[in-house]
Every structure is written in C-alpha cells, then in structure tokens.
Amino acid sequence: MKSMAQRIRETVQEHPDWTPKQVAEACGATRNRVYQVMHYVKKAGERKMLKLKRKMMMLKPVQAQVVSTKADTDANVRQVGGGHYKDKAIQPWDYIASNKLGYLEGNIIKYVSRWQDKGGIEDLRKARHYLDKLIEVNL
C-alpha cells in the first residue's frame, strides 16, 4: 500500500501542470500536505544537485592534470623494454597517476592499454586476473 506522500509524488509527476488543490483532491489529501511533500521533493532535488556540483568541483583538478601530463617528460621519452607505451596519446602511468588509481586498478589499465602491442590475449587474461582480485577485495 502506498503512503500518502508517495501518491502525491506520483500524481505530481503524472500531472505536472496541476495546481496543489487539484493534486490534493485527486489524492484525498489536504493542500497543506501537498505543499509539504512538494517542498520536501524540491529540497531533496536541490540536495542532489549540490552533491553533484561538489563531485564536479572535485573532478575539475583531475581533468586539468590529465591535460598537463601530455608534455614529454624525460621518463615518457625513454622507455625501457620496447615502445608499446610510447606511441599512446596518454601513457598509462600518466593516466593512473592523474586519477590517483591504486595498484590493482593501475595494472588493469596497463594490461588493457598494451595488449594489442605487446602481450596479446595473455595481457587480457592478466587484466582479468587483476579485476577479479579488485572485486574480491571490495566485497
């Protein structure tokens, strides 16, 4: 059985052009209760927007770091053991460091980035192995 607040929310969603009086009559509620529910829904929506804005503010510095890592640093120019990372637009370790990823996530990125140029299917198996471990430690 639905609560009065749930019926009011559903009615408002189905008929956004209705006045609070019409919603109250359709739900068998008082106009005051309709106003209370609508106020709460509005505040909840505003809280969600604030949380989203905070998350976006946290992401902006990370995006700036990713762009700035394109510079050819000494370590990016010289690669020991082949050229399978050198030709990438963004080297995996720059992406990993910029996004502050951990050991397991970093290895997943590394193996998935290079599988076609270096280890083939074996690198995909390694990436899956690290992914299995990441899932295991986060259960």
Side-chain angles (χ1 to χ4, degrees):
M1 184 171 193
K2 295 180 185 175
S3 68
M4 180 60 70
Q6 183 62 36
R7 288 194 309 238
I8 293 170
R9 283 192 294 271
E10 288 177 358
T11 304
V12 169
Q13 285 178 345
E14 290 174 18
H15 308 283
D17 55 330
W18 280 13
T19 64
K21 181 179 180 182
Q22 291 171 310
V23 173
E25 290 171 358
C27 295
T30 64
R31 268 191 280 170
N32 190 33
R33 182 65 178 138
V34 172
Y35 283 121
Q36 287 173 341
V37 172
M38 290 172 67
H39 176 75
Y40 178 78
V41 168
K42 179 182 176 192
K43 287 295 181 188
E46 289 172 0
R47 283 193 298 270
K48 286 180 186 176
M49 287 302 294
L50 281 174
K51 285 181 183 178
L52 183 61
K53 285 180 183 177
R54 284 188 203 117
K55 286 182 182 178
M56 293 301 292
M57 291 301 292
M58 291 174 63
L59 290 177
K60 284 181 182 176
V62 173
Q63 291 170 346
Q65 289 174 358
V66 171
V67 170
S68 67
T69 60
K70 286 195 139 196
D72 287 333
T73 63
D74 186 43
N76 284 358
V77 172
R78 60 176 174 80
Q79 180 180 332
V80 178
H84 45 278
Y85 297 126
K86 230 176 170 181
D87 300 330
K88 305 278 183 222
I90 299 173
Q91 289 201 21
W93 62 12
D94 290 332
Y95 179 82
I96 292 163
S98 294
N99 289 288
K100 297 178 176 75
L101 299 179
Y103 177 77
L104 297 172
E105 295 98 327
N107 277 306
I108 293 165
I109 297 295
K110 175 181 78 169
Y111 287 122
V112 168
S113 296
R114 76 180 200 189
W115 79 275
Q116 292 176 322
D117 301 321
K118 187 171 184 207
I121 297 298
E122 185 63 25
D123 275 353
L124 292 178
R125 287 189 181 108
K126 289 177 184 178
R128 182 172 53 190
H129 190 207
Y130 277 95
L131 184 59
D132 289 340
K133 185 62 178 178
L134 181 62
I135 292 169
E136 180 182 308
V137 298
N138 284 290
L139 287 179

